[in-house]
Amino acid sequence: MRIFRTLLIICLLFQATILFSQEDVLRPKRTTTTTNEEIPDYQIRFGIEGGFNYNMVNQTMNWSSEIPQSIYNVFQSASGLSPYFAALIDFPIDSKFGIQTKFAYDLRSASNTYTGIADYHTPDGDVVDGDEKQELTATGADISISAMLRYNISQEFVFTIGPMISIPTDNYDQKLVQTSLTPGNYFYDEYGNRSTQRTLTYKTSEINTRFGFDLGFAYNIPISESMILSPQIRLNYYLDKIIDDRYGIYDDTRESIFGVAEIEQKDEKLHAIKFGLTLWF
């Protein structure tokens, strides 16, 4: 963990040292009439970016004893789209290399649907299998900071890579919609009212700050002498868990046949693929 913090600090310090001696590799070089030598025009570029995150959440879940088609399987993975917005600064080094800093506001949204089996208590007092659909949605937001090395593969194609950090703005919200698919099987609220569907909402606390890598490809399209439009695709790959491992959760959804099993939830991570459009000026 310390090595990635160190890399981030080094990149930021490096940017500060080249602040007043940069070449804008995205713009043509200009020459001076006082000498026959070409003098690079060092300039910093600023950019604004918007697009979508394709969020991917996965974790490992282990049961102390097997519970086939447990409705808890809905928590193993989730995915979904959400918007993001970013501001960027580009510090050129030479005709090929530069340093980019990105400050992003990443909205997060991921969902999953799973149909499993749970105990159903009949009016006669019997316990039988009942089909039950689980629809999970998790939402949240992060402030993400990236410090990336830029390499111009050609005048149009650009590759960037560097460390990043994502800091949650608050706890993530989760919503679980449970629907009984078995005729005659109902959920009951605290007042005794029955329905075939119920919604549970709660917050996922203790969302972690995560370190990872920001890797991307962009294609530069000049739209004027001073502005460039740059479609891009990026991978945000995180090394840290989004939430710490959890133990002591008990699955009693099919107790009549399989008993009660303890669930271990571990290594939950969130990665994202970004589809964005940057305007450089």
Side-chain angles (χ1 to χ4, degrees), residues 42-62:
Y42 287 91
Q43 293 186 14
I44 299 171
R45 274 195 182 275
F46 298 91
I48 53 175
E49 181 177 315
F52 291 91
N53 287 312
Y54 178 67
N55 305 291
M56 300 168 288
V57 182
N58 289 278
Q59 67 173 321
T60 299
M61 296 179 64
N62 298 312

